[in-house]
Amino acid sequence: MTFILGLDTSTNFVGVALADNGKKVAAESHFAARQHAEVMAPTIVDVLSSAGVTPHDLAAIAVGIGPGLFTGLRVGVTTALVMAQALDIPLLAVSSLELMAAGLGEVTREIVTVFDAKRGEVFYASFRAGEPTPVRLSVDAVVDPTELVDQLMARASDLVLLGDAVSAYPEIFARLAHAEVAETDFWVPSVTALVGIAASRLARGEVDPLESVVPNYLRTSDAIIPTGRKGPR
Amino acid sequence: MPTLKAVLGLETSCDETAAALVDEGRIVRASVVSSQIDLHARYGGVVPEIASRAHLELIGPVVAEAFESAGSTLNAVDAVAACSGPGLAGALLVGVTAAKALALVAGVPYVGVNHLEAHLYGAWLQNPDLKLPVVMLLVSGGHTLLVAVDGRGKYRVLGETVDDAAGEAFDKVARLLGFGYPGGPEVDRHARIGSPTAVDFPRAMRGSLNFSFAGLKTAVALHLREHPEVLTSEFGVDDIAASFQAAAVDQLREKLAAAADMVNATTLVLGGGVAANSALRSSVVELAETTGRDALLAPLELCTDNAAMIAAAGWWRLQSDGPTPLSAGIDPSARLPGSTP
Ligand SMILES: [Zn+2]
């Protein structure tokens, strides 16, 4: 038995999945906008106990590393880091955009993941379907949606669009008349795909050193305006 | 409840990432504090996003160091406590999330701790036989609070700031005088050279137990505008620093004295980052001596935020209220529990 626990909190959802030898045995996903910290630990308890597994049975932890909304993202990454360290087991970090693409399964078109990054920008990456990991066609980036659509317009191949940026910027993405928009159920990083990807990476011995695992913010903290207000000390 | 001995405490409410192991709420086996001051210095104050990112990167190493320095492991921990407020939301989330994950792995209770209450427990950490009632003056960059402590969990807030926190005033005046960040220690250093009577800055809020520092800061700014030459004269900034500090310390001392009389306090306790100020320390010692009370000053390493006080407060909270559910969140604007405003 090789149990892997996978977590993703990069969107408004908290997703937790447990796999045994790469096969999902339990998974839960909860809408948790601004409540990631409240939902995260109880969901892990639920998923583990539903499978009769204790934390000490885990062989590895996998986590969606973003990009995504910072506050939620930090809850999943902190939990994954702390659990992996405390249990002294490997940690595997996977792009949350890749997990969104992976959830779509076998499609022939190019997969374009676009996630609302707020501040007038979107997180973006494109993939082609692949097993067990989607094949990446571009790196995770934070881009202006209009510029992105201009660039995608020029591309000949048909696209599948997914992610909440599609509904955040409806007029802009409507210009991609040749694109198919995936159902909203798929607009969330797939934790089932996460534990599958992690299992195959673990089998190849590809683990991420704990100190290398930080959220993929894609924006420097300098971009975040100081408030000048201080908290307690 | 099974025997509760070792509590792991985590503190991430502002710009210190800290972990501590405390036995029975009073025996500190390890206390590790990693300060982010250098990261925030060039902004002249704590930048929440920078703090949150740093907490995430530091929390694992800081916890590991606490276990290593205590020669212990998570298996020997009976509960995990974390500061759940007040503080910066993104910063608090990291500590609370880490504490829950550790509690979940260890199969032990989690307990969320109020940061202000934890400062009070910092006093019991130093002296478990604290003579009650206590009046505590808690002064830092984030809070200015005068509290009567009648027992564990029994507090009365007697006064608080109506505008800036005391430490904030020190930082702002330091900036006006061209000192680096954090400003408190710099003001203290220059004030030792300067004359506290060079400028008669206002002593605010006479006759009340509440504090105000905004007017004092404005008075310093106005004085500098009218007398720009002091910034370049030989002892100019030293005199302003000393005169400002005298006004600030006078205000703090006056209210502490009035509060002590009001509740007939046996012990005066001074805590928080500004408690490291040398003039305030000697003023409180002198006040205690002249009024026949005990004085308990936090040692310098316990003035700043630390996790030993979180673990100590967590131990007591577990005895009185039991564990906090894993579904509990944070409260960035939490007030002191068990207190009447
Ligand atoms: Zn504090």
Side-chain angles (χ1 to χ4, degrees):
Chain A
M1 282 182 303
T2 307
F3 288 112
I4 298 179
L5 182 72
L7 320 171
D8 187 284
T9 58
S10 59
T11 65
N12 283 330
F13 287 79
V14 164
V16 176
L18 179 71
D20 182 8
N21 289 318
K23 273 205 65 189
K24 178 183 84 174
V25 290
E28 279 186 35
S29 177
H30 299 289
F31 183 75
R34 293 170 178 272
Q35 305 269 301
H36 296 83
E38 286 86 335
V39 176
M40 177 88 272
T43 306
I44 294 175
V45 170
D46 267 11
V47 166
L48 290 180
S49 62
S50 75
V53 168
T54 75
H56 293 276
D57 298 326
L58 297 173
I61 307 278
V63 66
I65 201 73
L69 301 179
F70 300 168
T71 303
L73 184 55
R74 275 194 279 266
V75 169
V77 176
T78 300
T79 302
L81 273 168
V82 163
M83 287 187 75
Q85 177 182 311
L87 293 164
D88 195 19
I89 55 177
L91 179 60
L92 299 105
V94 180
S95 155
S96 298
L97 295 179
E98 182 178 330
L99 296 176
M100 233 185 257
L104 217 47
E106 204 49 55
V107 289
T108 50
R109 299 173 177 202
E110 177 180 339
I111 304 166
V112 172
T113 52
V114 281
F115 182 71
D116 184 10
K118 314 288 181 186
R119 301 162 171 256
E121 293 180 311
V122 301
F123 295 127
Y124 151 81
S126 70
F127 304 87
R128 150 165 81 68
E131 192 47 42
T133 317
V135 179
R136 186 179 278 281
L137 302 175
S138 78
V139 295
D140 294 352
V142 61
V143 294
D144 176 279
T146 305
E147 284 170 24
L148 172 65
V149 167
D150 287 346
Q151 182 197 324
L152 293 173
M153 293 278 280
R155 217 169 284 173
S157 71
D158 281 1
L159 312 170
V160 187
L161 275 178
L162 73 162
D164 68 356
V166 176
S167 58
Y169 300 98
E171 298 87 8
I172 296 174
F173 284 99
R175 287 169 54 212
L176 294 170
H178 57 302
E180 173 195 336
V181 177
E183 285 188 44
T184 54
D185 291 0
F186 294 103
W187 291 8
V188 175
S190 164
V191 279
T192 302
L194 170 62
V195 284
I197 292 169
S200 51
R201 282 189 50 198
L202 188 64
R204 294 196 298 271
E206 291 175 25
V207 301
D208 296 305
L210 295 192
E211 63 278 10
S212 75
V213 176
V214 287
N216 186 15
Y217 296 110
L218 287 181
R219 280 179 179 143
T220 61
S221 51
D222 299 61
I224 315 302
I225 305 145
T227 65
R229 269 206 56 196
K230 296 182 47 156
R233 51 172 57 191
Chain B
M1 191 187 294
T3 352
L4 176 65
K5 190 177 168 226
V7 176
L8 169 66
L10 306 182
E11 156 65 40
T12 63
S13 65
C14 191
D15 60 345
E16 258 98 26
T17 314
L21 280 159
V22 177
D23 282 352
E24 287 159 32
R26 58 192 165 81
I27 305 154
V28 181
R29 297 189 51 207
S31 179
V32 178
V33 180
S34 175
S35 172
Q36 307 172 5
I37 283 175
D38 296 347
L39 295 178
H40 300 283
R42 71 191 180 101
Y43 300 95
V46 176
V47 183
E49 179 60 21
I50 293 177
S52 303
R53 291 185 184 196
H55 285 307
L56 183 146
E57 289 174 38
L58 291 166
I59 192 75
V62 163
V63 167
E65 196 183 329
F67 280 126
E68 198 182 310
S69 94
S72 185
T73 66
L74 186 60
N75 296 329
V77 162
D78 299 311
V80 185
C83 170
S84 57
L88 300 168
L92 290 167
L93 277 175
V94 173
V96 163
T97 298
K100 288 182 188 176
L102 289 165
L104 191 158
V105 166
V108 299
Y110 157 73
V111 59
V113 169
N114 180 288
H115 183 89
L116 302 170
E117 183 174 38
H119 271 295
L120 304 183
Y121 278 92
W124 273 299
L125 261 183
Q126 289 171 72
N127 180 3
D129 307 315
L130 212 54
K131 286 198 210 105
L132 300 170
V134 159
V135 167
M136 177 161 187
L137 176 62
L138 178 56
V139 274
S140 74
H143 22 256
T144 309
L145 208 58
L146 197 51
V147 188
V149 182
D150 301 311
R152 291 188 166 93
K154 280 190 250 165
Y155 321 117
R156 282 175 285 160
V157 174
L158 304 174
E160 54 197 319
T161 183
V162 298
D163 42 52
D164 294 350
E168 222 177 329
F170 274 83
D171 281 339
K172 285 178 176 174
V173 167
R175 215 175 307 159
L176 290 172
L177 295 174
F179 302 160
Y181 172 85
E186 284 291 291
V187 170
D188 196 350
R189 201 167 58 81
H190 284 274
R192 281 181 220 185
I193 306 162
S195 158
T197 54
V199 186
D200 187 20
F201 288 123
R203 271 64 172 162
M205 305 290 286
R206 286 244 152 93
S208 159
L209 290 180
N210 285 331
F211 303 85
S212 167
F213 294 98
L216 175 55
K217 180 208 69 187
T218 306
V220 174
L222 282 174
H223 182 86
L224 291 173
R225 200 175 306 158
E226 282 162 22
H227 307 277
E229 71 282 359
V230 300
L231 287 172
T232 47
S233 71
E234 194 182 356
F235 297 110
V237 291
D238 305 317
D239 284 346
I240 302 295
S243 300
F244 156 75
Q245 183 173 281
V249 169
D250 269 4
Q251 186 188 156
L252 293 168
R253 176 205 157 101
E254 187 183 302
K255 282 142 208 313
L256 178 61
D261 286 347
M262 199 179 98
V263 305
N264 209 1
T266 309
T267 314
L268 306 179
V269 177
L270 182 62
V274 180
N277 182 274
S278 63
L280 180 58
R281 291 176 86 83
S282 43
S283 175
V284 170
V285 168
E286 194 225 298
L287 174 66
E289 275 170 5
T290 54
T291 56
R293 308 182 204 275
D294 292 345
L296 184 68
L297 307 187
L300 296 184
E301 70 273 14
L302 283 180
C303 284
T304 48
D305 288 343
N306 62 85
M309 67 185 197
I310 302 291
W315 192 78
W316 286 100
R317 273 287 153 196
L318 276 165
Q319 321 276 329
S320 61
D321 301 352
T324 305
L326 291 180
S327 58
I330 56 163
D331 185 356
S333 51
R335 299 182 62 86
L336 185 65
S339 64
T340 40

